[in-house]
Amino acid sequence: MSDIDMIDFDGIDLDLLVALDVLLDEANVTRAAARLGLGQPAVSARLVRLRRFFADPLLVPSENGRGMIATPRAAALRAPLKRALLGLAEAVRPPEAFDPARRDRRFVIAAGDNAVVSLGPALAEAVAAAAPNLRLTFVQPRAGGLAGDLERGEVDLSIVSERVVPPGARVVTLRREDFVAIRRKDRPRDEAPFDLDAYCTLDHVLVSPSGALHGYVDEVLERLGRRR
DNA sequence: ATAGTGTGCAGTAGATGATA
DNA sequence: TATCATCTACTGCACACTAT
């Protein structure tokens, strides 16, 4: 007997889970009903059954009386539920070869400035040639929010350092990059050689989208027993 | 195997209550 | 007054059961 066999699905069905997903998206029974193609009372009845099954109010009226607010239990259900429904949709979808030339959709790519500048133009050119109806939108990866953005489908792809890849993500290494230190050509001839000691004593500017003042370079220096 | 019947579920329309 | 969630009454449909 598998783990799935052990689950008691009595009182719940796929329609209810789809309704819950839409209800959590809309936080409004009327709008959820419109999306589901049902009457508002029918969706209200589904919400009642969902509340009974989960033994939780799931959605409660907001303070301003407009719409509803998800309870912590419902909020916790949202991402795994969406993931499961997307997986099911994928499983039951008829097999269809992906034809980029005929697809019409937008892909959201979370990438840092460096990746956008170095890979963006070539990627956009290649996509435009192979799939003229696909559109690429580059956004900044949200510090600490990338995993959630990927889970919710708000970001399709991310080009980031392997250090910030969310656990469980499918990863392909695009390339390895090295750090390079460059010194102006006309520095005084008698100046000390530009070595690690010199590097550590200089003043530094750290560009940090997240605001954290401790970057990859600092981690490497720490391993060497140094700091800048 | 097919037709008839009963039951339960889920839908709708309309009414009601709460709230800003 | 407008909006929104919930309740009530009614209807239609699917399914199980039984008789032929």
Side-chain angles (χ1 to χ4, degrees):
Chain A
M1 194 178 266
S2 72
D3 288 348
I4 293 175
D5 300 332
M6 302 284 284
I7 302 172
D8 181 7
F9 286 108
D10 191 32
I12 195 83
D13 59 35
L14 190 54
D15 279 347
L16 280 183
L17 294 177
V18 171
L20 177 58
D21 178 54
V22 176
L23 277 163
L24 292 177
D25 274 355
E26 298 292 341
N28 178 294
V29 175
T30 302
R31 285 201 299 271
R35 257 180 72 180
L36 291 163
L38 300 172
Q40 184 266 323
V43 176
S44 180
R46 291 186 179 194
L47 181 55
V48 168
R49 290 169 61 200
L50 285 160
R51 284 169 170 161
R52 201 176 303 137
F53 180 80
F54 287 105
D56 186 276
L58 298 175
L59 288 164
V60 294
S62 63
E63 285 182 7
N64 65 10
R66 306 238 165 213
M68 308 184 85
I69 295 171
T71 63
R73 171 87 165 113
L77 276 168
R78 195 174 178 195
L81 176 63
K82 196 168 278 298
R83 224 172 21 241
L85 291 175
L86 284 171
L88 270 175
E90 188 66 30
V92 302
R93 180 181 300 152
E96 174 194 358
F98 178 73
D99 183 359
R102 294 174 55 194
R103 281 298 178 91
D104 178 5
R105 66 158 287 191
R106 181 176 77 118
F107 282 94
V108 178
I109 301 174
D113 295 343
N114 182 36
V116 172
V117 170
S118 61
L119 297 173
L123 180 60
E125 199 175 319
V127 167
N133 294 323
L134 293 189
R135 286 145 287 143
L136 302 182
T137 300
F138 288 94
V139 300
Q140 280 290 327
R142 288 197 303 122
L146 183 57
D149 290 344
L150 285 165
E151 263 183 10
R152 287 187 297 276
E154 290 168 13
V155 165
D156 298 294
L157 176 73
S158 181
I159 305 175
V160 291
S161 159
E162 62 189 358
R163 296 169 55 249
V164 298
V165 170
R170 290 176 62 187
V171 179
V172 173
T173 301
L174 293 177
R175 65 183 184 193
R176 299 270 170 207
E177 290 183 331
D178 296 319
F179 284 83
V180 176
I182 301 170
R183 188 165 66 164
R184 211 169 63 222
K185 207 174 176 180
D186 57 355
R187 300 287 294 179
R189 285 181 181 285
D190 57 350
E191 191 178 69
F194 187 60
D195 54 14
L196 189 58
D197 288 335
Y199 176 80
C200 290
T201 56
L202 291 172
D203 292 329
H204 291 247
V205 173
L206 174 63
V207 179
S208 169
S210 69
L213 297 178
H214 193 84
Y216 174 65
V217 170
D218 300 287
E219 290 173 18
V220 174
L221 288 174
E222 263 175 24
R223 286 203 290 276
L224 296 172
R226 311 293 292 266
R227 61 195 296 269
R228 53 178 170 171

